[in-house]
Amino acid sequence: MRLLLPVGLIATALAAAPVRFDGDKVLRVKLQDGKQANVIKDLAKTSQLDFWYPDATHQVAADMTVDFRINAKESQLVESALDQNQMHYEILIHDVQEEVEKQFDVKEDNPGRHSYAKYNNWNKIAAWTEKMVRKHPKMVSRIKIGTTVEDNPLYVLKVGGKDERRKAIFMDCGIHAREWIAPAFCQWFVYQATKTYGKNKIMTKLLDRMNFYVLPVFNVDGYIWSWTQNRMWRKNRSRNQNSKCIGTDLNRNFNVSWNCLPNTSDPCQEIYRGPAPESEKETKAVRDFIRSHLKSIKAYITFQSYSQMLLFPYGYTSELPANHEDLAKVAKIATDVLSTPYDTHYTYGPIASTIYPTSGSSLDWAYNLGIKHSFAFELRDKGRFGFLLPESQIKPTCKETMLAVKFIAKYILKHTS
Ligand SMILES: [Zn+2]
């Protein structure tokens, strides 16, 4: 007979211990037609599918390749349903918990220290922002642009010079908590910029003439939660009225065609848009900062994972932006350059047709505000590890991405007024 714990006790135990993923699998299903897409949608109603690609059930469409995590208890049921319908699938990850532990595959002599080759928790990143200012007082300054729901600071590092009139690029990383490679890139960018200034010709020229505003972690509360409680957390940590589900998807919360796509109104969804446009403190902070620097900001770049894509507007419509040809040209060259050191293949194009339609995204919002060069990177990989990209891939990912970002910055310096 099973021992039953009082509900209160279970709740406390759940709050204290991090979620484990023993025996959870990540499946990849190659859909052949609409009927198969419906099988997935039906499964999502009865089983807990955590969508990795695309990011929600309603995006699932014929001819798509779908990645999702399924817990150990339900995996047999789901796999036999796929078999019954003669659907083609592969198991990308056999045991998610094992992969969660294996992602820390870089060993450093001093494990307590901040390292560019490792994933750093929020405390280390916050201390690192301070250190960068101390080390490079002439080149780096730290701006607190707001606080989060849980009262953590949102820091932007300004890299470049004191002159506010220079052209600037705004970059953010980690709008979704579980995409750990993104904050790793923002840290790498600041590190490489300061380290190679005066040595690398292009970087020196860029920093002599431009400013970079870098928000290393956009969704700080969610990021902390993904370290301490649930590695698969995506949203922020705000409470929702009349729902036990926590969090808003910050990348559905911007005031641009907010709510124009279905299924973003349920607080229990991973793509919940929030109770109102720009309802979230994190969204407001970024909105206000970008608005107040709109004169100088010529490009907006947001870093996410995974898929290996370079995206530009729009997400909420299949219409193309006015400077679509220009954006496609920049994206083509940027992805070509990116592929040079490790032969990493990226695709590029407008969000809606390249990845899937989105509403309320920061990218579309920035574009419609007037930042005509707006890009979203979906960093490594293409799903072998997904959100659990091992640390041994941080450096190569950052190095190749850096080449693309430098190209975009050079382009902005030369071709925008
Ligand atoms: Zn994302």
Side-chain angles (χ1 to χ4, degrees):
M1 206 184 89
R2 256 199 224 159
L3 268 178
L4 290 177
L5 283 171
V7 177
L9 251 180
I10 296 173
T12 338
L14 284 179
V19 178
R20 290 186 61 88
F21 304 93
D22 299 287
D24 285 16
K25 289 178 182 171
V26 176
L27 303 186
R28 167 166 287 181
V29 188
K30 290 202 168 84
L31 302 173
Q32 311 290 335
D33 51 40
K35 202 182 131 229
Q36 296 196 345
N38 287 334
V39 173
I40 298 290
K41 288 180 184 192
D42 286 342
L43 277 173
K45 283 178 201 152
T46 50
S47 305
Q48 282 204 338
L49 307 189
D50 168 23
F51 281 92
W52 282 23
Y53 184 96
D55 58 12
T57 329
H58 74 271
Q59 317 274 24
V60 173
D63 306 333
M64 201 178 229
T65 297
V66 180
D67 301 345
F68 57 84
R69 176 174 62 88
I70 182 76
N71 67 41
K73 266 186 274 164
E74 292 180 306
S75 74
Q76 230 185 357
L77 195 96
V78 170
E79 284 180 66
S80 54
L82 296 174
D83 288 333
Q84 269 167 24
N85 288 284
Q86 276 128 36
M87 288 164 71
H88 211 74
Y89 71 93
E90 64 179 301
I91 301 172
L92 291 175
I93 297 178
H94 282 85
D95 186 323
V96 173
Q97 185 61 35
E98 233 172 66
E99 224 61 65
V100 164
E101 284 152 27
K102 283 202 313 214
Q103 71 187 318
F104 299 107
D105 65 343
V106 169
K107 300 281 167 267
E108 294 275 39
D109 295 343
N110 189 341
R113 268 179 62 174
H114 176 277
S115 164
Y116 294 103
K118 292 184 66 61
Y119 293 121
N120 298 297
N121 65 21
W122 169 246
N123 284 342
K124 283 186 194 164
I125 296 175
W128 164 85
T129 59
E130 215 178 293
K131 193 182 108 187
M132 292 316 280
V133 179
R134 235 183 308 129
K135 252 181 112 174
H136 309 280
K138 279 198 190 122
M139 214 191 297
V140 182
S141 55
R142 188 175 80 172
I143 309 160
K144 186 176 163 186
I145 64 163
T147 55
T148 66
V149 176
E150 293 181 339
D151 211 26
N152 288 302
L154 288 166
Y155 291 133
V156 161
L157 289 181
K158 181 184 174 199
V159 187
K162 296 269 178 272
D163 188 351
E164 295 263 327
R165 288 166 307 175
R166 290 172 169 192
K167 287 179 187 174
I169 294 179
F170 184 93
M171 310 190 336
D172 64 54
C173 292
I175 194 168
H176 292 138
R178 62 187 176 185
E179 300 163 4
W180 284 8
I181 186 64
F185 175 73
C186 267
Q187 293 163 70
W188 180 267
F189 177 86
V190 176
Y191 167 58
Q192 283 299 314
T194 50
K195 194 180 129 182
T196 60
Y197 178 76
K199 298 187 186 98
N200 176 286
K201 226 172 104 183
I202 297 166
M203 190 54 92
T204 308
K205 188 173 163 185
L206 290 172
L207 292 170
D208 277 339
R209 299 183 193 180
M210 299 178 87
N211 290 324
F212 292 86
Y213 295 109
V214 183
L215 174 61
V217 186
F218 191 132
N219 177 8
V220 174
D221 296 347
Y223 188 69
I224 293 172
W225 197 254
S226 73
W227 273 83
T228 58
Q229 294 296 325
N230 184 347
R231 177 65 184 83
M232 290 305 141
W233 194 258
R234 167 183 168 98
K235 300 188 277 183
N236 77 349
R237 292 292 304 164
S238 64
R239 290 184 194 288
N240 293 308
Q241 269 187 347
N242 307 320
S243 172
K244 61 178 192 340
C245 296
I246 303 280
T248 286
D249 183 344
L250 296 173
N251 205 31
R252 298 293 180 282
N253 189 236
F254 279 83
N255 193 6
V256 56
S257 288
W258 183 83
N259 202 28
C260 83
L261 294 173
N263 296 318
T264 57
S265 58
D266 175 2
C268 294
Q269 285 269 352
E270 291 292 352
I271 53 163
Y272 176 51
R273 54 167 160 70
E278 292 161 6
S279 55
E280 303 309 295
K281 289 181 78 179
E282 297 86 353
T283 318
K284 280 187 187 125
V286 170
R287 173 199 69 190
D288 292 344
F289 183 83
I290 291 181
R291 275 207 184 141
S292 63
H293 293 76
L294 198 53
K295 258 198 182 149
S296 61
I297 295 176
K298 303 296 172 192
Y300 169 83
I301 314 178
T302 178
F303 295 87
Q304 302 199 27
S305 76
Y306 62 92
S307 292
Q308 294 177 197
M309 290 177 180
L310 182 50
L311 305 166
F312 49 82
Y314 287 108
Y316 66 83
T317 170
S318 53
E319 270 170 46
L320 297 173
N323 63 337
H324 154 256
E325 277 176 24
D326 186 28
L327 293 173
K329 188 180 81 185
V330 175
K332 188 200 178 310
I333 303 174
T335 52
D336 279 349
V337 178
L338 186 148
S339 74
T340 51
Y342 306 101
D343 204 22
T344 306
H345 184 72
Y346 264 57
T347 48
Y348 65 88
I351 305 180
S353 60
T354 310
I355 186 161
Y356 38 72
T358 55
S359 57
S361 74
S362 64
L363 184 74
D364 283 351
W365 171 82
Y367 184 84
N368 281 0
L369 194 68
I371 305 173
K372 293 301 173 201
H373 292 88
S374 291
F375 296 96
F377 278 84
E378 293 284 352
L379 300 173
R380 287 195 196 184
D381 56 11
K382 285 171 101 61
R384 165 63 188 89
F385 297 102
F387 303 120
L388 300 173
L389 193 73
E391 289 180 332
S392 50
Q393 290 201 39
I394 294 177
K395 271 195 180 174
T397 304
C398 290
K399 280 184 186 169
E400 66 193 9
T401 310
M402 192 70 183
L403 297 177
V405 173
K406 274 167 82 173
F407 167 74
I408 295 173
K410 259 193 325 187
Y411 185 91
I412 296 298
L413 184 61
K414 200 167 165 200
H415 295 279
T416 61
S417 50

